[in-house]
Amino acid sequence: MNLNLETERLVIRPVRLEDKVNIFEYRSDSETNKYQGWIPKTIEDVEFFINRTAKQINMPETWFQFVLTKKENQKLIGDLGVHFWDKQNMQIEIGCTLNKNFHYNGYATEAVRKIIDFLFIELHKHRIITSIDPDNERSIRLVERIGFRKEAHFIESLFVNGKWVDDLAYALTKKNWESK
């Protein structure tokens, strides 16, 4: 299975150890990534993250990590994680992080749409969820624009960066995606 996915402007490919410096560059920015559960402090933190990421896609109870690169110059501009979280392996969780220098250009929308197509069409998944901090208005707008629906608002349900935070659960089913 070819895991190098292409959009008009992006190549979405599996993460590699040599991506660690580029990932650290944008993931270590604690202000931009304040809604993330993981903010690396060192390059070694990123190396550990990459090494513990699943090497094979579609394995239950694992995270598989893609990176987003610009087609024109192969510049790594973000990453997108796919969590194959249930034992039946029909429901998926996704999360996307984009370098702040590339915000407001439609790259996240383009990447997430491509991953959704891949998960529903190639991997035959039933449902995709995403977890968002209620204060993360840009991510909320992104998933709603794509077609996710809000299913729940959990109060102080996650302990992130030393404090209890609320969590919004959004979901999209294959049937809803195909009807768009």
Side-chain angles (χ1 to χ4, degrees):
M1 175 182 300
N2 181 13
L3 296 179
N4 289 330
L5 311 174
E6 291 191 24
T7 68
E8 182 181 332
R9 302 176 297 162
L10 299 172
V11 173
I12 303 165
R13 62 162 174 81
V15 68
R16 300 187 293 242
L17 195 53
E18 56 264 28
D19 297 325
K20 65 185 177 185
V21 171
N22 290 321
I23 292 171
F24 182 74
E25 176 188 322
Y26 64 88
R27 278 280 195 154
S28 62
D29 179 351
S30 60
E31 180 55 32
T32 301
N33 297 311
K34 63 185 170 189
Y35 303 116
Q36 297 284 343
W38 176 68
I39 299 173
K41 304 282 187 248
T42 66
I43 296 284
E44 289 75 25
D45 290 345
V46 178
E47 196 171 310
F48 179 77
F49 169 77
I50 293 171
N51 283 331
R52 74 163 198 215
T53 300
K55 303 303 176 231
Q56 187 176 1
I57 197 163
N58 206 19
M59 301 299 295
E61 302 179 6
T62 66
W63 277 94
F64 189 86
Q65 202 72 23
F66 288 97
V67 292
L68 316 177
T69 62
K70 291 181 71 175
K71 263 187 187 176
E72 67 187 37
N73 59 10
Q74 289 77 51
K75 169 78 174 152
L76 196 154
I77 63 168
D79 59 83
L80 198 152
V82 181
H83 184 197
F84 299 90
W85 63 272
D86 76 331
K87 289 183 193 243
Q88 293 78 27
N89 205 13
M90 295 304 292
Q91 298 187 79
I92 306 303
E93 177 184 6
I94 63 171
C96 186
T97 304
L98 197 63
N99 182 320
K100 70 180 176 186
N101 298 325
F102 298 93
H103 287 186
Y104 307 108
N105 290 294
Y107 291 119
T109 301
E110 196 171 318
V112 170
R113 283 186 173 150
K114 185 64 176 184
I115 289 293
I116 291 169
D117 277 342
F118 174 74
L119 293 171
F120 285 147
I121 296 166
E122 299 296 321
L123 298 185
H124 309 289
K125 300 307 175 189
H126 169 70
R127 186 168 179 266
I128 300 170
I129 65 165
T130 191
S131 171
I132 303 173
D133 185 298
D135 293 332
N136 191 344
E137 295 173 8
R138 286 194 320 234
S139 290
I140 292 168
R141 284 194 307 271
L142 167 70
V143 299
E144 288 179 347
R145 182 173 57 252
I146 288 173
F148 282 77
R149 72 187 170 288
K150 184 165 88 170
E151 293 190 338
H153 183 148
F154 299 103
I155 307 300
E156 294 185 5
S157 61
L158 298 174
F159 194 70
V160 178
N161 301 323
K163 65 180 183 174
W164 287 100
V165 297
D166 290 6
D167 181 37
L168 298 179
Y170 278 82
L172 178 66
T173 62
K174 184 176 184 178
K175 180 172 63 175
N176 290 58
W177 184 247
E178 290 173 339
S179 69
K180 284 187 60 134

